[in-house]
Amino acid sequence: MTDLFIKVKIQQEQKLPFVLFCKPNSDRVVGIFQKNDHLYFLESFEEKGFVFAPFDAETFPFIPLEHSDVYVENVPRKDYFSKGETDNYNSSVGKDYFEELVAKGIDAIENNDFVKVVLSRKEEVPLSDFDIQITMRRMISQYPTAFNYCFFHPKIGTWIGATPEQFLKTNGNAMQTVALAGTQLATGTQNVVWQNKEETEQQLVTDFIIGSLQDLVKEVTISSPYSVKAGNLWHIKTDISATLKSKKILKRLILALHPTSAVCGLPKQPAKDFILKNEGYNREYYSGFLGELNIDFVTFKTLQTDLFVNLRCMKVLSDKAQLFIGCGITKDSNPQDEYKETVNKSMTMKKILG
């Protein structure tokens, strides 16, 4: 066991907060270990630390740099392995309820309540002998281009994930984000063909981001949409970069974008109201955001923020894992197809469970 995971074991025994993470295409695992069990919340958004924000809340928990020890270890990728077997899992969990939910969402779209809504479900998987070190190794091996993490706080719980989606990246006045939508199962071909439904969904996400940034940035650059692979899935991605009008607007920027239309819908408020009223469960930290705030934990350079949307994630309990999976619904959606999409997405986490 390495120094990093020895420290994890100590934190677990003392029930002290910590987070492990490995950035996309990185060769380093970073561990941030809080020295007390207090639950800190962001106030000015000028704090330095690791933020772990929920989908729906007015408070944003974080692990402060000033109250933490930081460990960084190189990733010996050849030793990192994945399980890769998922045949044991029941793929029909919550099928009828979710398809009814999607149908209700489509009806609301046809009624002009909103043009898109992102609906999700929770699935529970039995769990025994959960091991953070093995799980992190499996995730990094299976999903090297994802943001892989394990977060623990005694007042929040244990969450792990391998998210493919950047939420926001800033370096001084420069900012980057992405629009990510559309999903199809990888079949071995690199020639990915998208239907109108997915292309429309992607354009809605892009338009939402540009509209949200309008008063906060200048010199916006938008790439053409392109296909990107995340694990066993393909998505449509658009890169967006801009210059912030001020270094002091990070809080306004985050609140303008969160939750993004990729996890909520458009227009944002009526879509969010529909989700909270109809999904039938609390998303908690699923489809929130997480990552480094105002600090790079490897270089310790400040004024650098690197945040990701909390997708492809699960909450780990003593004897089970709660998986959270969702998909974007538009007027062209089909309830059966959308359910299949959630099944495909659930495999991201199921592949790394022991």
Side-chain angles (χ1 to χ4, degrees), residues 4 7 10-11 14 16-21 30-36 63-72 297 300:
L4 181 71
K7 182 64 175 174
I10 293 170
Q11 292 284 116
Q14 297 179 346
L16 293 176
F18 68 90
V19 62
L20 302 177
F21 66 88
V30 178
I32 306 168
F33 301 96
Q34 192 173 306
K35 299 173 185 176
N36 58 57
I63 296 179
L65 172 61
E66 63 178 317
H67 297 298
S68 303
D69 293 322
V70 179
Y71 286 55
V72 181
F297 280 100
F300 281 88

Side-chain angles (χ1 to χ4, degrees), residues 223-284:
S223 77
S224 298
Y226 61 98
S227 298
V228 61
K229 192 177 180 184
N232 63 329
L233 302 173
W234 284 99
H235 302 287
I236 312 175
K237 184 176 182 180
T238 300
D239 297 316
I240 301 167
S241 60
T243 302
L244 301 179
K245 291 182 178 179
S246 166
K247 294 178 182 177
K248 298 289 187 181
I249 60 172
L250 183 59
K251 181 176 182 177
R252 289 175 59 197
L253 189 62
I254 288 173
L255 295 180
L257 290 174
H258 175 68
T260 72
S261 62
V263 299
C264 184
L266 272 176
K268 180 160 69 172
Q269 197 54 53
K272 187 176 181 182
D273 291 343
F274 182 89
I275 290 168
L276 296 175
K277 181 179 178 181
N278 292 284
E279 272 191 344
Y281 82 101
N282 182 0
R283 288 189 179 188
E284 298 183 68

Side-chain angles (χ1 to χ4, degrees), residues 156-159 284 313-317 320-324:
I156 289 175
T158 300
W159 286 73
E284 298 183 68
C313 64
M314 62 185 174
K315 184 178 183 180
V316 179
L317 305 177
K320 61 187 175 184
Q322 296 177 332
L323 280 65
F324 301 82

Side-chain angles (χ1 to χ4, degrees), residues 96-247:
D96 292 342
Y97 183 88
F98 187 74
E99 289 180 358
E100 289 172 8
L101 175 65
V102 172
K104 191 182 294 186
I106 296 170
D107 288 343
I109 292 170
E110 291 176 344
N111 196 42
N112 296 319
D113 294 348
F114 36 76
V115 295
K116 173 191 172 181
V117 65
V118 180
L119 299 175
S120 69
R121 63 183 180 89
K122 181 169 70 173
E123 182 177 333
E124 294 189 345
V125 175
L127 197 62
S128 61
D129 301 324
F130 174 73
D131 185 287
I132 287 177
Q133 183 173 5
I134 291 174
T135 302
M136 282 295 294
R137 287 180 170 179
R138 286 175 175 162
M139 284 197 296
I140 291 169
S141 172
Q142 191 76 17
Y143 308 114
T145 62
F147 180 83
N148 296 291
Y149 79 91
C150 177
F151 178 95
F152 168 76
H153 196 293
K155 298 177 176 70
I156 289 175
T158 300
W159 286 73
I160 63 173
T163 175
E165 184 166 347
Q166 183 93 49
F167 174 59
L168 177 67
K169 189 172 186 176
T170 68
N171 185 352
N173 277 355
M175 71 140 287
Q176 297 171 275
T177 187
V178 301
L180 194 74
T183 302
Q184 62 176 276
L185 196 61
T187 59
T189 179
Q190 298 296 312
N191 185 24
V192 184
V193 178
W194 296 99
Q195 302 301 314
N196 181 65
K197 183 257 178 187
E198 286 87 6
E199 292 179 342
T200 300
E201 185 183 349
Q202 169 67 10
Q203 191 59 52
L204 289 172
V205 174
T206 303
D207 292 345
F208 161 78
I209 293 173
I210 300 304
S212 300
L213 296 175
Q214 193 169 7
D215 297 329
L216 304 172
V217 304
K218 55 187 177 181
E219 301 168 9
V220 179
T221 302
I222 308 168
S223 77
S224 298
Y226 61 98
S227 298
V228 61
K229 192 177 180 184
N232 63 329
L233 302 173
W234 284 99
H235 302 287
I236 312 175
K237 184 176 182 180
T238 300
D239 297 316
I240 301 167
S241 60
T243 302
L244 301 179
K245 291 182 178 179
S246 166
K247 294 178 182 177

